Amino acid sequence: MFKKLIGASLALVLGASASTAFAAKTYTLRLAETWPPNFPIFGDTTKNLAKLVKEMSDGRLRIKIDSKNKHKAPLGIFDMVRAGQYDMGHSASYYWKGKDPNTLYFTTMPFGMAAPEQYAWFYYGGGMDLMKKVYDKYGVLSFPGGNTGNQMGGWFRKEIKSLDDLKGLKMRIPGFAGEVLAKLGAKPTNIPAGELYTALERNTIDALEWVGPSLDLRMGFHKIAPYYYTGWHEPATELQFLVNKKKFDKLPKDLQSILVTAMKAVSYDMYAQSYHESAVNWEKIKTEYPNIKIRTFPKEVLNAMYKANEDLLAQRAAKDPLAKEIIDSQKVYLRKVRAWTNISDKAYLNSVGDKME
Amino acid sequence: MFKKLIGASLALVLGASASTAFAAKTYTLRLAETWPPNFPIFGDTTKNLAKLVKEMSDGRLRIKIDSKNKHKAPLGIFDMVRAGQYDMGHSASYYWKGKDPNTLYFTTMPFGMAAPEQYAWFYYGGGMDLMKKVYDKYGVLSFPGGNTGNQMGGWFRKEIKSLDDLKGLKMRIPGFAGEVLAKLGAKPTNIPAGELYTALERNTIDALEWVGPSLDLRMGFHKIAPYYYTGWHEPATELQFLVNKKKFDKLPKDLQSILVTAMKAVSYDMYAQSYHESAVNWEKIKTEYPNIKIRTFPKEVLNAMYKANEDLLAQRAAKDPLAKEIIDSQKVYLRKVRAWTNISDKAYLNSVGDKME
């Protein structure tokens, strides 16, 4: 009788544990994202992450997403994850350059690597180790969080024909690229997303950069600024997943692996999704607004931007050995990887380009 | 007493099941790969897959890899997975065009999409659905299996200056690209990897294409054929994971999700690894063999190749409605996505290119 009963209970438990739904300890990670609820592409990425880890862990690992409307601190993600107020974040590393200047280098850099080049650097060229060096001291793990692809140089009401046209130009362009333009006499500003259209329409600003067709179409800038410039300042904007290290260390090894793999898969996926959405939306803009003019900044302007960018980087490298290490790593890698891009994708796109027209 | 004993046994079982190591059913998938043991990059991809699924499943899902030396049928992977002789395969879809001509389109196409464009097509532009349509009838699931990046046009002993130089040219170039060249009077052949160097050295062939610097360096072709042509025929070679559907359906849902996510992560990773290895190896070739000359086929030659390629595709589309559906999907998508590439990555690479030199 003992045996029979114990046998039955064992069978019951074994049957249930095979699905791992029963008795397995569950973990919930609270994630704060910089974006508003249901933000396209960026917001899909966190939802995809939550779905994947739930499926792969059979419900043992859950991610609860709080958007900007909930936590009210879109640019406080790093601090909240560091403090353990949230377990995870989805944001962008360059937002924290005011807290630690060396977080700047892990999103994208003016005149820097394109997305496939940058993924090669992150995962095979030493980028992840350098990012770890920067974030370790905060007890925070940082991972690539999805790429927007090459960002456009922005929407301009008037054409930029020479360096003189940059003097006094009021442009919404935040961050390091804004510093570069300021050195050339432009007046960079930051303006919240919701006020951008009106600012451009009312000439509060003369130009602005946002992302690219994937996210620009819904903003409507093409209706009031006919010059759409090709990019120079954010060739491969990579978002970021942050994870509180103490919280991560408490997860069983299998759930750690599930989380890390899911973050990687959804980040790469975001690059593909951004590429797709840009293709679809650029076709819409072109068709509905045939007067939009694609322009590339004149050589004189690009050369001056490049020099200003190099000067700013040299200043940073001179002040901080870790900054120097990262800047040098990116520079050496870019030279090597771009030589390959030049004879592969670039040569291909240039030599077969006319076949598509 | 009943209660006590049962309670104790329950506690024991519950404690163990929390780690899922005890009582959970384990599954082993046997995978056959086209490559020899320890083949660089391609072979890393299957090893990475096995490691990831083992970690994420806490050992409940294992993949046992058999390389070419074991199963002796590098080009029989599709048949073996279809027949259930193996549960999985790692190979390339275009190898099966003799079995089903519509498997051709899911690796890469001459004058087709670059890797980021093709990933966008696979995952967001309808590519996965079309691949499913082709493979469903065989009871086989097909997934992207890792990208080599843009493949070089090959190593040539003599420069190709005009269409006339293709007439009678003996070139190792298998598959659909070989058909294209045959239409222009070349003599395409296939020669096993191990005999390629000698064939080129002894003038059995005048030229050959292999992959790109990532895998070409170890073959030594640069020592005997100084002209390295930029690519046209395989702009984004995507390998393939095959899974026997019956076997897949028997896996619990969480292990299915783990397998699919791991395949996706390691495939994207292979693209980054290929990019990295190409960059590193191209630098080596350039440094050690400064007389290697990068060439792009003349416009006349590229135009003729493009026309021959279009003619062959039109023939295939006329014969088979599913072929037409796939060819049309790729054509429409390429036009849309390339318009975006042209104003993003291509414009960027062209406008900032001189800054790197």
Side-chain angles (χ1 to χ4, degrees):
Chain A
M1 186 68 178
F2 277 156
K3 271 189 182 167
K4 210 171 167 185
L5 258 171
I6 294 171
S9 79
L10 259 172
L12 184 80
V13 172
L14 289 173
S17 78
S19 82
T20 71
F22 178 70
K25 187 168 173 190
T26 66
Y27 298 82
T28 299
L29 300 173
R30 295 180 61 242
L31 179 151
E33 63 184 4
T34 293
W35 341 112
N38 301 312
F39 195 68
I41 306 175
F42 299 14
D44 294 336
T45 301
T46 47
K47 283 182 197 142
N48 291 342
L49 179 73
K51 183 171 176 288
L52 264 191
V53 301
K54 188 181 158 199
E55 277 176 15
M56 290 200 282
S57 69
D58 198 15
R60 290 184 299 133
L61 182 60
R62 312 256 176 164
I63 291 173
K64 192 185 164 301
I65 302 163
D66 279 358
S67 304
K68 167 175 128 171
N69 61 320
K70 190 76 183 270
H71 57 68
K72 315 272 189 208
L75 299 179
I77 308 286
F78 171 67
D79 282 339
M80 294 192 293
V81 174
R82 192 179 158 188
Q85 198 177 335
Y86 277 92
D87 308 311
M88 291 186 69
H90 191 233
S91 193
S93 186
Y94 63 6
Y95 290 149
W96 328 128
K97 78 183 170 82
K99 311 242 168 218
D100 182 331
N102 291 333
T103 58
L104 172 70
Y105 309 101
F106 303 99
T107 307
T108 183
M109 292 301 289
F111 300 102
M113 293 177 263
E117 298 170 339
Q118 189 169 268
Y119 278 128
W121 177 73
F122 266 125
Y123 292 123
Y124 296 90
M128 289 300 287
D129 288 342
L130 289 168
M131 183 154 69
K132 192 170 178 318
K133 259 194 189 177
V134 171
Y135 280 94
D136 257 0
K137 56 177 146 324
Y138 304 109
V140 162
L141 305 173
S142 173
F143 301 89
N147 206 288
T148 65
N150 190 295
Q151 296 207 359
M152 293 294 288
W155 298 93
F156 289 70
R157 305 197 66 150
K158 285 184 192 153
E159 207 172 344
I160 301 297
K161 293 183 176 168
S162 71
L163 266 177
D164 277 349
D165 293 333
L166 287 183
K167 304 268 187 287
L169 183 90
K170 288 169 290 173
M171 180 169 183
R172 185 271 177 191
I173 180 166
F176 191 68
E179 293 179 42
V180 171
L181 281 191
K183 279 189 75 127
L184 303 180
K187 304 281 173 224
T189 62
N190 199 355
I191 292 175
E195 297 162 29
L196 272 175
Y197 184 89
T198 308
L200 187 62
E201 194 182 29
R202 297 192 183 160
N203 293 315
T204 310
I205 49 176
D206 309 305
L208 61 83
E209 63 82 51
W210 188 239
V211 177
S214 61
L215 292 169
D216 288 6
L217 174 64
R218 63 206 295 266
M219 302 293 278
F221 306 134
H222 52 285
K223 297 175 191 166
I224 45 174
Y227 296 100
Y228 202 17
Y229 274 80
T230 64
W232 62 279
H233 68 307
E234 299 210 7
T237 311
E238 184 71 35
L239 305 182
Q240 171 189 45
F241 282 117
L242 288 168
V243 188
N244 179 289
K245 193 172 179 306
K246 271 192 199 151
K247 190 77 184 196
F248 183 83
D249 288 343
K250 279 185 198 147
L251 293 176
K253 289 269 178 275
D254 58 335
L255 296 186
Q256 287 179 347
S257 180
I258 282 175
L259 180 62
V260 170
T261 306
M263 287 190 292
K264 185 180 258 189
V266 301
S267 300
Y268 278 131
D269 268 349
M270 188 184 121
Y271 177 44
Q273 188 186 4
S274 296
Y275 220 99
H276 173 74
E277 296 288 339
S278 281
V280 169
N281 288 352
W282 171 233
E283 190 177 56
K284 264 190 209 156
I285 295 173
K286 262 196 316 182
T287 310
E288 292 170 23
Y289 293 82
N291 292 328
I292 293 298
K293 292 164 188 63
I294 293 291
R295 290 286 183 273
T296 292
F297 293 108
K299 218 166 196 31
E300 175 202 24
V301 172
L302 283 169
N303 286 344
M305 287 168 169
Y306 184 75
K307 194 182 170 309
N309 184 62
E310 289 288 293
D311 290 349
L312 286 170
L313 289 179
Q315 283 171 26
R316 289 173 153 255
K319 267 194 282 190
D320 179 343
L322 183 50
K324 183 173 175 355
E325 191 183 348
I326 303 166
I327 290 166
D328 286 351
S329 165
Q330 292 190 329
K331 203 173 199 116
V332 168
Y333 200 82
L334 176 55
R335 193 171 293 269
K336 182 158 54 188
V337 79
R338 184 60 52 80
W340 163 239
T341 300
N342 284 343
I343 65 166
S344 58
D345 287 340
K346 183 181 166 189
Y348 177 68
L349 292 170
N350 284 331
S351 63
V352 308
D354 58 324
K355 308 284 174 300
M356 301 294 109
E357 279 146 26
Chain B
M1 186 65 177
F2 278 156
K3 273 190 180 167
K4 209 172 170 185
L5 257 172
I6 295 172
S9 78
L10 259 171
L12 185 78
V13 173
L14 288 173
S17 79
S19 82
T20 70
F22 177 68
K25 188 169 171 189
T26 65
Y27 299 81
T28 300
L29 300 174
R30 295 180 61 241
L31 180 151
E33 62 183 5
T34 292
W35 341 111
N38 300 314
F39 195 69
I41 307 176
F42 299 13
D44 294 336
T45 302
T46 47
K47 283 181 196 143
N48 290 342
L49 179 74
K51 182 170 177 288
L52 264 191
V53 300
K54 188 181 159 198
E55 277 176 14
M56 289 199 282
S57 69
D58 198 15
R60 288 184 301 131
L61 182 60
R62 311 255 176 163
I63 291 174
K64 191 185 163 304
I65 302 164
D66 280 358
S67 304
K68 168 175 128 171
N69 61 322
K70 190 75 182 273
H71 56 68
K72 316 274 189 205
L75 299 179
I77 309 287
F78 171 67
D79 282 338
M80 294 192 294
V81 174
R82 194 180 157 187
Q85 200 176 334
Y86 276 94
D87 309 312
M88 291 186 69
H90 191 233
S91 192
S93 186
Y94 63 6
Y95 291 149
W96 327 127
K97 79 183 170 82
K99 312 243 168 218
D100 183 330
N102 291 333
T103 57
L104 172 70
Y105 309 101
F106 303 99
T107 307
T108 183
M109 292 300 289
F111 301 102
M113 291 176 265
E117 298 171 338
Q118 189 169 267
Y119 278 128
W121 177 72
F122 266 125
Y123 293 122
Y124 296 90
M128 288 300 287
D129 288 342
L130 289 167
M131 183 154 68
K132 192 170 176 321
K133 259 194 190 178
V134 170
Y135 280 93
D136 257 0
K137 55 177 149 321
Y138 304 109
V140 162
L141 305 172
S142 172
F143 301 88
N147 207 289
T148 66
N150 190 297
Q151 296 207 0
M152 293 295 287
W155 298 93
F156 289 71
R157 304 197 69 148
K158 285 183 192 153
E159 206 170 345
I160 301 296
K161 293 184 175 169
S162 72
L163 265 176
D164 277 349
D165 293 333
L166 287 184
K167 303 270 186 285
L169 183 89
K170 288 169 289 172
M171 179 168 185
R172 184 273 176 188
I173 179 166
F176 191 70
E179 293 179 41
V180 172
L181 281 191
K183 278 189 75 128
L184 303 180
K187 305 282 174 222
T189 61
N190 200 357
I191 291 174
E195 298 162 27
L196 273 174
Y197 184 89
T198 309
L200 187 62
E201 195 181 28
R202 296 191 184 161
N203 292 314
T204 310
I205 49 176
D206 308 306
L208 61 82
E209 64 81 50
W210 188 238
V211 176
S214 62
L215 292 169
D216 289 5
L217 174 65
R218 62 206 294 266
M219 302 293 279
F221 306 133
H222 52 285
K223 297 175 191 167
I224 46 174
Y227 296 101
Y228 202 15
Y229 273 81
T230 64
W232 62 278
H233 69 307
E234 299 208 8
T237 311
E238 184 71 35
L239 305 182
Q240 170 190 44
F241 282 117
L242 287 169
V243 188
N244 180 289
K245 193 171 179 304
K246 271 191 200 151
K247 191 76 182 194
F248 183 83
D249 289 343
K250 278 184 198 146
L251 294 175
K253 289 267 177 279
D254 58 335
L255 297 187
Q256 288 180 347
S257 180
I258 282 175
L259 179 62
V260 170
T261 307
M263 287 190 292
K264 186 180 256 189
V266 300
S267 300
Y268 278 131
D269 268 350
M270 187 184 121
Y271 177 43
Q273 188 186 2
S274 296
Y275 219 100
H276 173 74
E277 295 289 339
S278 281
V280 169
N281 288 354
W282 171 234
E283 190 176 57
K284 264 190 210 156
I285 296 174
K286 262 194 317 180
T287 310
E288 293 170 23
Y289 292 83
N291 292 328
I292 292 299
K293 291 165 188 62
I294 292 292
R295 290 287 182 272
T296 292
F297 292 109
K299 218 167 196 35
E300 177 202 22
V301 172
L302 284 169
N303 287 343
M305 288 168 168
Y306 183 74
K307 196 183 169 310
N309 185 62
E310 288 288 291
D311 290 349
L312 286 170
L313 289 178
Q315 283 170 25
R316 288 175 153 255
K319 268 193 281 189
D320 179 342
L322 182 51
K324 184 172 173 359
E325 192 183 347
I326 303 166
I327 290 166
D328 286 351
S329 164
Q330 292 191 329
K331 204 174 197 112
V332 168
Y333 199 81
L334 176 54
R335 194 172 292 269
K336 184 159 52 188
V337 78
R338 185 61 52 80
W340 163 240
T341 300
N342 284 344
I343 65 167
S344 57
D345 288 340
K346 183 181 165 188
Y348 177 67
L349 292 170
N350 284 331
S351 63
V352 308
D354 59 321
K355 309 286 174 298
M356 301 295 109
E357 280 147 25

